Amino acid sequence: MTSETIATDQDAIIVGAGLGGLRTMIELRKLGISFRCFEAGDGIGGTWFWNRYPGARTDSESWTYCYQFDRELFEEWDWHDRFPGQVEVENYLNFVADRFDLRKDIQLGATVKGATFDEDSSTWTVTLEDGTTSTSRYFIVAGGPLAARYTPDLKGIDDFGGTWVHTSRWPEGGIDVRGKRVGIVGTGATGVQLIPELAKEAANVTVFQRTPNYVIPARNHPLSDTDRRSLKADADRISNVVREHWFGMDLGMAGRLTTDVTPEEQQKILEWGWEIGGFHFIFETFDDIFLTHEANEVVAEFVRNKIRQIVKDPETAEKLAPKGYPIASKRVPLGHYYYEAYNRPNVDLVDVSENALAEATSSGITLADGTHYDVDILVFATGFDASTGSITRMDIRGRDGLTIQESWAEGAQTHLGVATKGFPNLFMVFGPQTPFANFPPVAENIVEFLSQALTHLEESGAATMEATQEAMDEWAEHLDVLLNALVLSEGERVRSWFVGANIPGKPHKVLFHFGGVAAYCASTQAVIDEGWKGFVFEGSSAKKDAVPA
Ligand code: NA7
């Protein structure tokens, strides 16, 4: 036994009760590490609590958008849809919270304003927006990679006479769009889901599109009892494949390149992928889509031709057809009759790529050239300060009062996306520089790594664990190499949040690991095997005045 450890209100404070936070809590319980979770929302679920806009659903198949670590949990939950909607995922996460009795340690409606590290005691003091404070040894941020909403700074928005909303703050009771003129800014994954849904009810929907996306069909459908039984019987395979597959999904390799087949065969194979729906189209048609511009262009042109076939008005089809950048250098959205929505007489597409939004007026939106659009409701589907935003929006102060904003002024720097120098015992679940892939398996991998790190810390008796500058530099270089090996690296030019390019003024830096889930896992394991390479363990967790046992 070591001596008595430093007293804090709890061992760990966790920010966020979404997918990452809940998995972290389950793990800490297993380790016997006490914790308190502060969640800004009035309910559990993170992304799935906040994003209530019509059409919100996962782009991952339900049996992979869930935890895999507990077979009984996997078998107890019945998914209704191939791609579950917001309510279904929110219900699942609430079920998990109850099943593991987590609620008693979660404080809802508690927004963390900041956290300060005290070097003498090696503890964190966390301050909530209401001024209350709480202390811990470990400060674990699980705020989500797509949680800090971004709304463009549009002149005159306060004078707008109608209702305006960011999609991630859609009110719980919904917005009645019946008979209303709705303007939607943004055609990322969110706008793509929302537009067809609003078009069903609104008098008119005007879509302000800056960059068209390559949208591939989801082909959602309800799962039958037989589907559910066979998925549960297949649990071992699913749990393995999501850890092995590059994108953390129940997908395989295509086993062929575009150059292996004739142009006619290419079209047939892509047609198969288009019909089966979801990311099979990207990952199971050709293995060189991400590797060569020629292969990528074959697939990109296939999507453009699909748009031209689906959308009846040729001018609208051309505006919707992405050109000049590779498919997947921006996050590819799944559509639910997205292109079909533009055939409705009440949906209009306005290209704002060269004629930008200039200002909001009392009655609508005016573009740079003075064209005005009257709208009653204005929706910003304008995305998030991805990856770093949920961390940098807090006032986090590490050693010598260093703030996280100062430390990341040139872009986020981390070791494995989990820790950053100057902020001992601060751990991130899905922080910047972790894999771009299906969220749940990535979160599970990170939490398992964190579990081993905390076990090592506790057993070593050290007070703190901290990343080194050298390790962070190496990790950043590694991430650059991974992205530059792919044609997706053009994301910077098309304002991709993969590299921070969607937020004006944000430093451009690779914010995700593009090597795949298994490769990331191998990197975390290598760090452990090499004696926690790139981390320093310092001090003693023993209370200074305690008598050693
Ligand atoms: P995204 O993918 O960042 O999309 C935001 C959209 O908003 C995108 O089409 C942007 O155009 C557009 N946007 C942003 N600012 C403006 C201005 N000022 N004018 C016109 N258009 C603008 O966010 P989502 O919410 O759709 O998706 C985020 C992820 O959340 C999603 O992938 C899921 O994983 C969950 P741009 O392309 O920059 O020209």
Side-chain angles (χ1 to χ4, degrees):
M1 280 291 289
T2 55
S3 49
E4 204 181 320
T5 53
I6 298 159
T8 48
D9 296 331
Q10 54 274 309
D11 298 326
I13 287 174
I14 299 167
V15 183
L19 249 159
L22 293 174
R23 182 68 185 84
T24 306
M25 290 180 235
I26 295 167
E27 199 65 24
L28 294 197
R29 277 274 173 78
K30 266 200 253 166
L31 296 177
I33 292 177
S34 65
F35 63 85
R36 184 107 189 114
C37 170
F38 297 119
E39 163 57 56
D42 291 328
I44 279 165
T47 285
W48 302 101
F49 171 82
W50 292 110
N51 286 270
R52 298 172 178 278
Y53 61 85
R57 60 178 67 245
T58 70
D59 282 355
S60 306
E61 288 164 322
S62 48
W63 55 96
T64 70
Y65 200 84
C66 55
Y67 301 119
Q68 304 285 342
F69 71 99
D70 185 313
R71 174 56 50 81
E72 285 173 17
L73 170 64
F74 187 83
E75 287 182 6
E76 281 167 28
W77 183 258
D78 284 328
W79 290 108
H80 181 270
D81 269 20
R82 177 182 179 188
F83 295 101
Q86 175 263 327
V87 172
E88 210 184 344
V89 184
E90 189 187 18
N91 287 345
Y92 168 73
L93 294 174
N94 274 279
F95 170 77
V96 171
D98 288 330
R99 192 182 182 282
F100 291 92
D101 193 21
L102 302 176
R103 280 185 206 277
K104 61 182 187 222
D105 292 318
I106 302 173
Q107 190 171 325
L108 297 173
T111 303
V112 173
K113 192 169 159 223
T116 303
F117 182 70
D118 177 67
E119 295 195 54
D120 288 338
S121 61
S122 298
T123 58
W124 283 92
T125 300
V126 170
T127 307
L128 302 184
E129 264 186 358
D130 69 5
T132 53
T133 59
S134 192
T135 57
S136 63
R137 281 188 66 199
Y138 310 125
F139 180 47
I140 304 175
V141 183
L146 295 156
R149 68 187 180 280
Y150 165 66
T151 310
D153 194 7
L154 190 62
K155 189 178 149 202
I157 192 69
D158 294 336
D159 301 328
F160 178 57
T163 303
W164 74 266
V165 65
H166 185 280
T167 44
S168 73
R169 287 298 179 278
W170 205 266
E172 205 165 343
I175 297 176
D176 187 0
V177 299
R178 283 173 302 178
K180 301 272 171 46
R181 295 162 304 179
V182 183
I184 302 181
V185 183
T187 52
T190 300
V192 162
Q193 290 182 336
L194 178 69
I195 289 160
E197 291 303 312
L198 292 189
K200 288 177 192 165
E201 296 206 321
N204 176 265
V205 172
T206 304
V207 178
F208 298 98
Q209 171 191 272
R210 190 164 64 183
T211 311
N213 252 310
Y214 295 93
V215 181
I216 59 177
R219 311 249 183 256
N220 185 37
H221 57 76
L223 299 173
S224 66
D225 285 343
T226 315
D227 291 335
R228 276 187 283 273
R229 267 197 301 278
S230 61
L231 285 165
K232 286 178 187 180
D234 213 12
D236 279 341
R237 187 196 61 77
I238 294 169
S239 150
N240 287 334
V241 76
V242 297
R243 282 168 183 270
E244 289 302 321
H245 185 265
W246 194 90
F247 205 38
M249 290 188 171
D250 185 3
L251 297 168
M253 296 283 284
R256 71 174 91 77
L257 307 176
T258 48
T259 46
D260 292 338
V261 300
T262 64
E264 292 72 32
E265 283 166 332
Q266 286 173 352
Q267 297 302 304
K268 269 193 203 152
I269 291 162
L270 290 169
E271 198 65 52
W272 166 85
W274 188 263
E275 283 312 312
I276 199 166
F279 286 104
H280 297 270
F281 177 75
I282 298 283
F283 289 98
E284 292 186 340
T285 49
F286 296 105
D287 290 331
D288 47 353
I289 291 180
F290 294 158
L291 299 179
T292 73
H293 278 280
E294 292 75 17
N296 192 283
E297 181 54 23
V298 167
V299 181
E301 185 59 14
F302 178 90
V303 177
R304 287 181 211 119
N305 285 332
K306 281 288 175 195
I307 298 168
R308 291 173 187 130
Q309 282 164 23
I310 297 168
V311 179
K312 292 189 181 125
D313 173 40
E315 208 180 304
T316 305
E318 276 322 302
K319 278 193 224 161
L320 286 166
K323 292 170 200 96
Y325 76 93
I327 181 167
S329 57
K330 279 170 100 71
R331 200 283 215 181
V332 172
L334 297 194
H336 302 261
Y337 303 100
Y338 173 66
Y339 292 123
E340 288 82 350
Y342 291 92
N343 290 332
R344 299 179 71 114
N346 66 335
V347 177
D348 298 312
L349 180 66
V350 178
D351 178 356
V352 296
S353 59
E354 288 178 4
N355 186 17
L357 305 179
E359 63 177 322
T361 66
S362 59
S363 62
I365 286 271
T366 304
L367 305 187
D369 72 353
T371 317
H372 184 80
Y373 294 86
D374 280 337
V375 296
D376 306 307
I377 298 168
L378 187 53
V379 180
F380 290 97
T382 43
F384 303 90
D385 182 358
S387 180
T388 52
S390 62
I391 300 164
T392 54
R393 287 189 183 190
M394 291 184 281
D395 180 16
I396 300 177
R397 289 164 192 264
R399 287 196 194 281
D400 302 320
L402 177 75
T403 66
I404 197 81
Q405 292 83 354
E406 286 162 353
S407 176
W408 289 0
E410 306 290 313
Q413 34 174 6
T414 75
H415 186 21
L416 301 170
V418 170
T420 183
K421 184 180 184 309
F423 300 83
N425 289 358
L426 183 158
F427 301 104
M428 296 169 282
V429 178
F430 223 117
Q433 307 183 326
T434 45
F436 176 69
N438 184 25
F439 184 88
V442 175
E444 292 211 81
N445 273 317
I446 293 168
V447 171
E448 282 161 19
F449 174 78
L450 188 56
S451 171
Q452 296 198 57
L454 294 179
T455 303
H456 182 74
L457 245 174
E458 299 266 322
E459 285 174 1
S460 70
T464 61
M465 173 174 175
E466 189 176 346
T468 66
Q469 187 65 47
E470 194 188 5
M472 296 197 301
D473 292 344
E474 271 177 30
W475 189 243
E477 259 174 54
H478 178 56
L479 265 52
D480 281 345
V481 170
L482 291 175
L483 183 59
N484 288 332
L486 308 174
V487 296
L488 319 188
S489 54
E490 293 189 18
E492 190 159 335
R493 193 164 56 73
V494 283
R495 300 190 200 91
S496 170
W497 46 261
F498 293 167
V499 289
N502 65 322
I503 302 295
K506 184 169 176 172
H508 292 188
K509 191 160 180 186
V510 181
L511 292 174
F512 291 87
H513 168 281
F514 283 92
V517 177
Y520 175 77
C521 218
S523 291
T524 55
Q525 191 57 49
V527 163
I528 298 171
D529 293 345
E530 290 173 50
W532 296 94
K533 188 167 180 244
F535 289 103
V536 285
F537 293 82
E538 284 182 344
S540 163
S541 59
K543 222 174 174 180
K544 285 189 180 125
D545 56 356
V547 182

